[in-house]
Amino acid sequence: MSTESQPISAIGASGSPKHQGQKLTWWLAAGLVGADIGTSVFYSTGVLYPMVGFAAPFFITLVCVAMWLFKIAYQEGCAVSPLNGGAYTMVLQTIGRRAALMVGSLTILSYLATAVVSALSGALYVSSLSPAPWSSWQVVAVASIPVVGFALLNLVGLKESTRVVFAIAAFHFGMLIVMDVYGLYLAFTEGAHWGRLTSGFGVLAPHAILMAFAAAFLGITGFESAAQIIEEIEQPTWIAIRKIYLTIVVLVMFTSPVSSMLCIVLLSDADIEKYKSAFLSGLAVREGGTTMMYLLVANACLTLFAAVNTAFAGATGLMTTMGKQGNLPAIVLRQWAGVSPHLKGFPYVALPFMALCLVMLAVFPGSVDRLGEVYGMAFLSVMVCYCAGVILLRLHQPAKVARSPYVSPWSFAWQDKRIPLAPLIGGAILFVAATILFLTAHHARDLGLQLFLGVLLVMAFYRLGQVETRMVRLPDLRLGLGNYRGMDKLPDMPTYVICTTQVSPRTLVTEISYILKKFGENIEIVIFHAEEQSAPHGVVSEGLERLISQQLEEFYEGRDLVLAVKVLPGNLIEVLTEYSKTRKFELVFISTGHDEESSEALRSHLANELSVDVIRLDESVLPKGPGVWYTQWSQGLRHRDRNWHPDDDYSSPTTRAYEDDRDQ
């Protein structure tokens, strides 16, 4: 923020002005998530068949049932922590920055693998229609089309790219439902090999069962994507998230197991051998001949390409959040709207992500299977971290959880805390699956570790030179007045924070005087300012420090208090939350601003993140000059007001205490 910037109330969780009209509706967001999860139907049966044979549909059904646990976990996580970044944000809020950096690196690797594997797989589906095999460069060229296309489309806007993906996802699930309904009709009217479904269970080896159990969970890849863009979804977000995951779970729970079962019971032995790497293509031929197969190939290609956009959305939501917190360079936050008003979508980070994807396409054109396993391990690990994050929020931030509009009722008591069962059981299941994949997929494990360490080292290198300096160790001005003047070490006192958007002596004196009147002396008042990373570094802090040391020090001379200034780069919610880890606040004050509804939403959001009460100072009901309160204060009225308790009325949009002062 500059010294004459927009009011605090206009700043949302993402650090940019809120435009509710630009947010994604729940059904658009469901299409974004569904496009990624929807791709699993094309390969799940083929992956499981070599391991467990005709029992593959049962393992797919098991995963679909487990999705209800993950649905509950994600509903609670997004309600308690409605910030972009998913598991990264929750780990940052509970454990700390180092652990969050590892989770963030793992999530970025997951999305890189998502984009590359989806693009390559879609290109391979296109190549299957060609009479002659394609060369590697042809596959890479076709795979580059969705990567570049969605990168450019996202610069126009997330909603614009998501509309395209929604149309593809609707076509995909619509076609699957038609195929499944017609397939069931054929199975019950023309006969089916029903005995296959139970014939193979008696000969399954324990090793095969474990492998299939782990591999089956690749069928829900992309489930976590909505949590990465929660700030871009329409409000109230917790209701939108519930609708998103309910829709996805119901659709996948019907289409995936039924499609797999029909492939097993409708195809002949010869067809199973012929289509064992593409079972759904065999089912399409069985139901509608070559024409249906061509439609299915087009469906698979489009859905896989649409999953590339899911990777862009999830990675950009995470990386912009990390950029605001200093874990990535500030350039990733710059908007293309400054270049052209039509480019109102994702910031600069979309193009570097595109470049990384193109490099990986060129390096791994023939490693789709290995990259798919890397993707699976990274994806499962990210979901384990998310489930753990939901539990950690219950343990470390119970007050924040108590304010949440949704908390899972299924929990048990542990050391005066409530532990939610859904993320605990779901996270344990995913942890077992991820561990099995990690121990058995040797080549993919080595490649995944190399890629993960590469991403982590890049972030760690940047972070070591930036984060502590920019976020935590920026010097404060702490000025002792009255009996505290000249002290080498100022004592810790009750701390009240005033969040300001401009260096205004009149406003600051009025607000400081109000706090002193209500709470008396022997307190510390922190003037806090969240500074956009694009602003010239130090300008705001210098202005505030000069104001405090040259003007306010003289105004409050003789009073026993400490005045402090703290300026951090980033947006208000994130940087004040970070600052609160080093300071204990009694209360936080923000201005009402021009938009009372947005201001109240921000107040509630801040209170939720900080687990501290936040009061909106409505300047319209405050005296226009500080002299009124200063005179009352000097006459001793402040002693009468010390009986006022901070629990009195302050959570209302306009506090009655302010109205009393206006009447005076």
Side-chain angles (χ1 to χ4, degrees):
M1 294 178 189
S2 64
T3 55
E4 295 295 329
S5 60
Q6 56 194 319
I8 281 180
S9 60
I11 305 299
S14 63
S16 57
K18 290 184 178 181
H19 299 290
Q20 181 66 15
Q22 297 297 323
K23 291 185 178 292
L24 299 180
T25 59
W26 71 266
W27 46 273
L28 281 177
L32 189 70
V33 178
D36 199 350
I37 296 181
T39 61
S40 63
V41 73
F42 298 116
Y43 59 78
S44 293
T45 305
V47 169
L48 294 173
Y49 181 76
M51 303 175 188
V52 293
F54 296 137
F58 290 96
F59 286 87
I60 294 175
T61 302
L62 173 66
V63 171
C64 290
V65 172
M67 275 201 298
W68 289 100
L69 295 174
F70 310 139
K71 170 184 173 292
I72 295 171
Y74 273 78
Q75 281 183 216
E76 177 169 330
C78 291
V80 176
S81 181
L83 293 173
N84 287 353
Y88 162 81
T89 300
M90 291 192 293
V91 172
L92 177 67
Q93 293 172 347
T94 53
I95 299 180
R97 192 169 295 275
R98 290 181 177 85
L101 196 65
M102 297 185 67
V103 174
S105 301
L106 191 63
T107 308
I108 291 174
L109 172 60
S110 172
Y111 283 120
L112 283 171
T114 299
V116 175
V117 170
S118 299
L120 285 173
S121 299
L124 290 174
Y125 261 97
V126 176
S127 71
S128 67
L129 300 178
S130 174
W134 280 15
S135 62
S136 295
W137 73 265
Q138 288 175 307
V139 173
V140 171
V142 173
S144 301
I145 294 174
V147 173
V148 175
F150 278 117
L152 298 178
L153 189 56
N154 275 301
L155 298 184
V156 178
L158 176 60
K159 180 175 285 189
E160 284 73 11
S161 66
T162 305
R163 283 172 178 161
V164 175
V165 171
F166 175 80
I168 295 173
F171 171 68
H172 166 71
F173 282 107
M175 183 175 181
L176 285 182
I177 291 172
V178 170
M179 287 182 62
D180 289 343
V181 171
Y182 183 60
L184 289 172
Y185 169 78
L186 292 178
F188 286 107
T189 58
E190 297 185 5
H193 303 283
W194 296 109
R196 288 176 178 173
L197 296 176
T198 56
S199 62
F201 275 100
V203 296
L204 291 182
H207 174 74
I209 293 175
L210 289 176
M211 290 290 295
F213 170 79
F217 279 95
L218 299 181
I220 57 171
T221 50
F223 192 90
E224 83 296 344
S225 298
Q228 307 297 339
I229 57 168
I230 185 68
E231 296 172 31
E232 319 306 329
I233 298 174
E234 64 181 352
Q235 298 179 351
T237 53
W238 71 277
I239 294 179
I241 286 292
R242 182 181 64 189
K243 293 178 180 178
I244 291 168
Y245 281 120
L246 178 62
T247 302
I248 293 302
V249 171
V250 170
L251 283 174
V252 174
M253 194 164 188
F254 174 74
T255 56
S256 290
V258 173
S259 296
S260 179
M261 179 196 69
L262 291 174
C263 291
I264 295 299
V265 302
L266 285 182
L267 298 184
S268 65
D269 292 337
D271 286 339
I272 286 179
E273 183 62 27
K274 180 180 179 180
Y275 295 106
K276 61 183 179 182
S277 60
F279 274 91
L280 210 59
S281 295
L283 180 63
V285 173
R286 171 71 174 80
E287 293 187 9
T290 306
T291 302
M292 181 66 80
M293 187 190 71
Y294 282 136
L295 280 174
L296 182 72
V297 170
N299 182 358
C301 176
L302 290 173
T303 307
L304 286 163
F305 283 174
V308 174
N309 189 64
T310 306
F312 269 98
T316 306
L318 170 65
M319 293 168 74
T320 50
T321 297
M322 298 180 76
K324 293 166 192 171
Q325 298 163 345
N327 283 330
L328 288 175
I331 193 173
V332 304
L333 302 175
R334 294 183 182 177
Q335 300 290 325
W336 287 94
V339 179
S340 170
H342 301 292
L343 303 179
K344 58 183 181 298
F346 279 166
Y348 283 16
V349 71
L351 292 189
F353 185 80
M354 178 195 73
L356 285 173
C357 291
L358 293 176
V359 170
M360 291 182 67
L361 285 176
V363 174
F364 304 109
S367 303
V368 177
D369 292 339
R370 189 181 301 181
L371 280 175
E373 292 176 334
V374 171
Y375 172 31
M377 287 186 286
F379 157 74
L380 292 177
S381 300
V382 170
M383 285 197 65
V384 170
C385 292
Y386 195 94
C387 291
V390 175
I391 297 172
L392 288 169
L393 286 173
R394 290 271 192 133
L395 294 176
H396 292 278
Q397 298 186 358
K400 182 177 179 179
V401 173
R403 293 187 178 96
S404 172
Y406 174 82
V407 175
S408 171
W410 298 319
S411 61
F412 66 93
W414 183 74
Q415 294 185 355
D416 74 359
K417 301 288 194 309
R418 302 296 303 182
I419 306 300
L421 286 172
L424 181 65
I425 298 173
I429 293 172
L430 291 170
F431 179 78
V432 172
T435 302
I436 293 172
L437 283 179
F438 185 81
L439 294 177
T440 56
H442 304 291
H443 297 296
R445 177 185 63 203
D446 296 340
L447 176 61
L449 285 174
Q450 293 171 21
L451 293 173
F452 169 67
L453 290 175
V455 175
L456 182 62
L457 285 174
V458 169
M459 290 192 180
F461 177 79
Y462 178 76
R463 177 184 180 274
L464 288 174
Q466 297 290 328
V467 174
E468 279 78 8
T469 300
R470 298 175 65 190
M471 291 294 295
V472 179
R473 296 177 182 170
L474 285 175
D476 301 16
L477 170 70
R478 294 188 72 205
L479 191 66
L481 302 180
N483 291 328
Y484 303 114
R485 183 183 296 275
M487 283 189 175
D488 293 333
K489 184 177 180 181
L490 294 170
D492 293 329
M493 294 182 293
T495 301
Y496 301 85
V497 179
I498 298 175
C499 299
T500 182
T501 59
Q502 55 184 336
V503 183
S504 169
R506 180 192 64 78
T507 301
L508 286 181
V509 170
T510 299
E511 293 174 347
I512 291 172
S513 299
Y514 176 78
I515 294 175
L516 289 171
K517 178 189 176 188
K518 291 299 183 184
F519 300 100
E521 300 175 20
N522 299 305
I523 63 174
E524 178 170 352
I525 298 176
V526 176
I527 311 301
F528 187 93
H529 186 93
E531 182 179 41
E532 287 185 357
Q533 298 201 27
S534 58
H537 179 60
V539 172
V540 175
S541 15
E542 289 178 5
L544 283 172
E545 290 179 7
R546 185 164 55 249
L547 171 61
I548 296 293
S549 60
Q550 295 180 6
Q551 299 181 42
L552 298 193
E553 179 183 11
E554 180 179 354
F555 189 88
Y556 294 109
E557 185 177 6
R559 306 300 169 185
D560 300 332
L561 73 146
V562 174
L563 289 176
V565 171
K566 187 68 175 180
V567 176
L568 288 178
N571 73 75
L572 178 61
I573 291 177
E574 288 165 329
V575 298
L576 186 56
T577 302
E578 184 69 21
Y579 186 46
S580 68
K581 296 177 182 178
T582 62
R583 300 294 302 272
K584 181 179 183 299
F585 305 153
E586 302 296 324
L587 288 174
V588 174
F589 297 87
I590 65 173
S591 61
T592 298
H594 301 299
D595 186 341
E596 185 170 335
E597 182 179 352
S598 297
S599 178
E600 175 58 21
L602 176 62
R603 185 205 67 77
S604 176
H605 201 161
L606 267 176
N608 186 42
E609 292 300 314
L610 298 171
S611 296
V612 171
D613 293 308
V614 179
I615 301 174
R616 290 193 295 116
L617 285 173
D618 189 347
E619 294 186 18
S620 66
V621 298
L622 300 182
K624 298 305 179 185
V628 177
W629 275 340
Y630 185 74
T631 301
Q632 294 176 352
W633 181 29
S634 301
Q635 293 173 351
L637 292 180
R638 66 188 186 281
H639 297 295
R640 180 199 68 188
D641 291 322
R642 284 178 182 170
N643 294 325
W644 180 83
H645 191 271
D647 288 337
D648 294 341
D649 298 325
Y650 58 76
S651 60
S652 60
T654 304
T655 308
R656 286 196 296 270
Y658 305 157
E659 297 174 353
D660 294 341
D661 289 322
R662 180 184 57 187
D663 294 339
Q664 291 177 8

